[in-house]
């Protein structure tokens, strides 16, 4: 998507006009214009020159962002977001108010309440002429309304400025005609006529309309500026300089733009990291709250990654730059939030459709009001006042701002909490979802095996069991061996000799002249004597989704060490929060059904779908869509097809890699509670948009008939201008309430209403098809399903090796392996010889005992 700056827009009708004009350019596939940020995002093959010409022909200005050639950086983006409009409007308003107060003193104070004035002002013609001159000054000061309004009218796209310009011009023009009538009447000596016409002057209304609208514009600009506070606060975090190490080895402070990939830089305690890099020397603790929302400092040592804008809190570190400029994590976050603001939420389409016809409709209503009151026998002065009131009270701005201001604040609040919404649609869709599918590994669980239980045999201490198991596993490269070694901590591991890994069985070695052996229950039952009590313990551990490893010394059992991929500390809390929101929580995993159900029960999910390959997850998600809007939560890389298939894809634990194309929402930390927080922020934003749209429609529905005089009230045009000035301000201020939302507070969560599905198991059926291992499918495809008896599988990693080997064979659609049952259920699309499958498995160092 290419980003453009657009100038000259004043209301929703303007943005609709620009969007329509650019949408007609050949090669443009999509166009989204943001009135809030005065920006435009365009996708397609059309050249920037064609886009800019289309905008210019529509009566507005446009330029390509970053066209000046300066390197994009957070600091340059901050200048683009700087509120330059408010100071201009404030100066304009001060000048207008000075002249308006003088005008009001004489037109209202002197005329109506007898405030003192020079004797010359007792002459109504002199007073009227003086009012006209002051009104002209006010109109000139606020001339932007007229140049923009009439320009848009001549281009066939009237906007809010057109309404203001027409209202002020009508007030001024009618008053000017009345003043000429007063001069003629005075020349004829008709003083009664002069008095009568003098009461119909609206010079103060013409000046008041433009001034009050300027007040509204200034308030709107101020509140719009505050909606980007979160984004600007991120930009302010970007360091302006960096201390790099030059070729001579000395330290030198340079502008941040001068840092290149591969440069070495240093960060002292208390300083901010200037660019993304990798630590090459030293260790420290880094505060990453600016990017992730996590206040607890993270320890960093040699080889660890550091990100721009994070703060070094303790040690001195030397780093090598890996990503600079617009490629840093901070720059990517800022770009993500900016892009989200440049897109449109589906809710905005309602306002866009109305805004496109709103101003012409109001002009038509004003004309009908004028004609209607004249036909009803009312004087022209009464009819024109009602028509002017209709023009100036109508507010398309409130409609146009209802959605984008809420989207900007919502996405900014998300960014402050480490949650990045890539588009406005993603921000809205997350709150409307009814089903959450969670990938198990790395999302619900830690993603790495750890020791969970130690069950020593009688007469064996826990320390002895762990130490001798560690000695045996110290030579192994198996993931489960690493878990045992981590459990040893600082314990010194003795050296073993004659180490041998028996493929698909276990390990053997010698320690101080004694033989050590370790492996699965099945293997160790042959290598040592296993008591019934230990067998029961192994069964219990397996039921809990853990992998029991048995160890023996000289044929005597030492005990059992259970290893498992443990559930994250916050997973249960997050899943409970999701369920309290009314979401159906489903866990997807490639594990066998027994292990998956054990982990699912611990986590508290509603359903478990097991035996699903990464390539099959997209099909499962498609099935789940039968139950409602689906969120898929994964790591953003292995789960890419499923993330793109889901209505909303959330990549969790992305860390420094925030540019994950597959995900709609990126969560910076590996906290599942941030997923519920993302949905909570989305729902709060949707509620806010509904409130804004209700106010915008309600305001116009009530105020336009009021201005027409249908309620028996004769509203003065200046009152209508005041109401219009406040309407947009109210919408912006309501959106700012989103800054008060605590995204991690579940106390106000409510279950969403949704229709019950006639077939609630539709997704499970889809999953069963993907897994292809249910009894029903086995019966239907009995001739195409084979079960291999495989020995040597000890954990889910072994299962995945066998699965991968079998599925690489031409004709094998899927393979579901279980190390507990010692089987591999293979589904075939055509006949595959047994010898081919056997060789594939045995090439991975596992033994095939037979086939069913």
């Amino acid at each position: 998507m290419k980003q453009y700056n657009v100038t000259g827009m004043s209301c929703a009708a303007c943005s609709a006009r620009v969007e329509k004009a650019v949408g007609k350019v050949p090669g443009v596939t999509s166009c989204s214009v943001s009135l809030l940020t005065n920006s435009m995002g365009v996708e397609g093959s059309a050249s920037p020159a064609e886009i800019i010409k289309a905008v210019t022909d529509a009566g507005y200005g446009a330029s390509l962002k970053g066209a000046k050639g300066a390197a994009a950086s957070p600091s340059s983006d901050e200048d683009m977001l700087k509120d330059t409009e408010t100071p201009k409007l404030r100066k304009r308003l001060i000048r207008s108010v000075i002249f308006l107060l003088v005008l009001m003193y004489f037109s209202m104070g002197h005329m109506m309440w007898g405030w003192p004035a020079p004797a010359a002002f007792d002459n109504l013609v002199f007073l009227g002429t003086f009012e006209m001159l002051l009104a002209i000054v006010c109109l000139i000061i606020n001339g932007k309304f007229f140049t923009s309004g009439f320009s848009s009218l001549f281009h066939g796209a009237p906007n809010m400025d057109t309404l203001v310009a027409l209202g002020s011009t009508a007030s001024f023009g009618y008053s000017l005609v009345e003043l000429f009538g007063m001069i003629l009447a005075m020349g004829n000596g008709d003083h009664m006529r002069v008095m009568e016409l003098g009461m119909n002057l609206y010079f103060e209304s013409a000046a008041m309309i433009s001034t009050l609208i300027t007040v509204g514009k200034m308030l709107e600009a101020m509140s719009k500026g505050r909606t980007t506070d979160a984004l600007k606060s991120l930009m302010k975090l970007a360091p302006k300089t960096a201390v790099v190490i030059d070729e001579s080895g000395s330290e030198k402070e340079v502008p941040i733009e001068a840092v290149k990939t591969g440069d070495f830089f240093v960060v002292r305690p208390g300083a901010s990291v200037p660019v993304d890099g990798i630590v090459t020397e030293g260790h420290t603790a880094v505060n990453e709250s600016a990017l992730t929302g996590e206040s607890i400092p993270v320890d960093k040592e040699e080889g660890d990654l550091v990100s721009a804008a994070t703060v070094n809190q303790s040690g001195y570190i030397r780093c090598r730059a890996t990503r600079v400029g617009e490629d840093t994590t901070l720059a990517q976050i800022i770009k993500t939030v900016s892009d989200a603001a440049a897109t449109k939420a589906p809710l905005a389409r309602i306002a866009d459709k109305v805004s496109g016809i709103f101003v012409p409709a109001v002009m038509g209503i004003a004309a009908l009001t004028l004609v209607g009151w004249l036909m009803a026998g009312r004087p022209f002065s009464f009819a024109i006042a009602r028509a002017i009131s209709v023009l100036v009270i109508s507010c398309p701005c409130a409609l146009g701002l209802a959605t984008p201001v809420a989207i900007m604040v919502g996405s900014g609040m998300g960014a402050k909490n480490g949650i990045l919404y890539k588009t406005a649609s993603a921000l809205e869709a997350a709150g409307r979802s009814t089903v959450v599918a969670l990938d198990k590994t790395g999302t619900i669980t830690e993603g790495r095996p750890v020791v969970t239980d130690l069950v020593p045999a009688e007469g064996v201490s826990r320390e002895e069991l762990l130490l001798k198991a560690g000695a045996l596993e110290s030579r192994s490269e198996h993931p489960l061996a690493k878990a045992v070694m981590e459990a040893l901590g600082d314990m010194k591991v003795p050296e073993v000799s004659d180490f041998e890994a028996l493929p698909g069985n276990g390990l053997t070695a010698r320690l101080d002249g004694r033989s050590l052996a370790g492996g699965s229950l099945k293997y160790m039952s042959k290598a040592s004597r296993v008591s019934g009590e230990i067998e029961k313990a192994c069964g219990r551990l397996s039921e809990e989704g853990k992998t029991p490893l048995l160890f023996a010394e000289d044929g005597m059992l030492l005990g059992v060490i259970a290893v498992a991929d443990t559930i994250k500390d916050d997973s249960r809390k997050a899943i409970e929060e999701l369920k309290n929101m009314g979401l159906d929580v489903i866990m997807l995993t490639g594990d066998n059904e027994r292990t998956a159900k054990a982990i699912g029960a611990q986590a508290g999910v509603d359903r478990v779908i097991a035996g699903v390959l990464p390539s099959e997850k997209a099909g499962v998600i498609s099935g789940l869509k039968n139950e409602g809007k689906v969120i898929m939560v994964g790591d953003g890389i292995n789960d890419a097809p499923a993330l793109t298939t889901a209505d909303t894809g959330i990549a969790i634990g992305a860390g420094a890699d925030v540019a994950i194309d597959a995900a709609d929402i990126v969560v910076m930390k590996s906290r599942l509670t941030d997923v519920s927080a993302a949905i909570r922020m989305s729902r709060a934003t949707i509620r806010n948009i509904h409130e804004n749209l209700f106010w915008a429609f309600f305001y116009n529905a009530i105020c336009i008939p009021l201005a027409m005089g249908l309620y028996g009230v004769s509203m003065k045009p200046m009152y209508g201008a005041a109401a219009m000035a406040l309407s947009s301000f109210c919408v912006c201020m309501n959106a700012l309430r989103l800054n008060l939302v605590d995204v991690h507070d579940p106390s106000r969560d409510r279950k969403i209403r949704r229709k019950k599905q006639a077939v609630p198991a539709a997704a499970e059926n889809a999953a069963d098809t993907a897994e292809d291992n249910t009894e029903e499918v086995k019966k239907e495809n009995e001739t195409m399903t084979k079960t291999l008896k495989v020995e040597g599988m000890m954990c889910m990693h072994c299962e995945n090796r066998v699965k991968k080997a079998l599925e690489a064979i031409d004709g094998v659609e899927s393979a579901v392996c279980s190390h507990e049952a010692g089987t591999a259920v293979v589904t075939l699309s055509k006949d595959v010889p047994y010898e081919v499958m056997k060789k594939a498995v045995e090439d991975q160092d596992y033994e095939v005992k037979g086939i069913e």
Side-chain angles (χ1 to χ4, degrees), residues 732-752:
C732 291
M733 292 305 294
N734 184 54
L736 289 175
R737 290 193 306 110
L738 287 172
N739 284 311
L740 304 177
V741 174
D742 183 354
V743 297
H744 293 291
D745 180 13
S747 61
R748 296 189 178 183
D749 289 345
R750 297 290 182 271
K751 292 188 177 182
I752 57 174

Side-chain angles (χ1 to χ4, degrees), residues 637-720:
I637 301 170
N638 297 330
D639 301 311
L643 289 170
T644 54
T645 302
D647 297 292
T648 305
I650 300 181
I652 186 172
D657 188 12
V658 299
I660 299 177
D661 294 333
D664 302 298
I665 301 172
V666 177
V667 174
M668 298 290 289
K669 295 294 288 183
S670 294
R671 297 180 305 203
L672 195 55
T673 48
D674 280 353
V675 173
S676 56
I679 297 171
R680 194 172 291 118
M681 189 71 243
S682 173
R683 290 187 179 181
T685 304
I686 291 173
R687 281 195 304 271
N688 195 273
I689 291 173
H690 285 160
E691 291 164 0
N692 287 344
L693 288 174
F694 172 79
W695 165 252
F697 283 112
F698 174 79
Y699 165 84
N700 286 293
I702 295 297
C703 290
I704 290 177
L706 181 66
M708 292 173 68
L710 298 183
Y711 301 144
V713 178
S714 299
M715 177 184 286
K716 291 187 177 182
M718 66 180 70
Y719 297 154

Side-chain angles (χ1 to χ4, degrees), residues 44-105:
S45 57
S47 67
E50 293 175 305
I51 302 297
I52 293 171
K53 183 178 184 301
V55 176
T56 305
D57 291 344
Y60 305 92
S63 62
L64 188 64
K65 284 190 178 181
K68 294 181 181 180
S73 68
S75 56
S76 62
D77 287 338
E78 185 183 352
D79 293 335
M80 292 173 58
L81 280 181
K82 188 176 180 181
D83 183 8
T84 58
E85 196 66 22
T86 300
K88 294 178 183 176
L89 289 168
R90 186 181 291 114
K91 291 179 182 178
R92 202 167 93 191
L93 178 62
I94 291 172
R95 292 196 297 265
S96 298
V97 168
I98 291 172
F99 287 99
L100 180 63
L101 288 175
V102 177
L103 175 56
M104 295 301 293
Y105 181 90

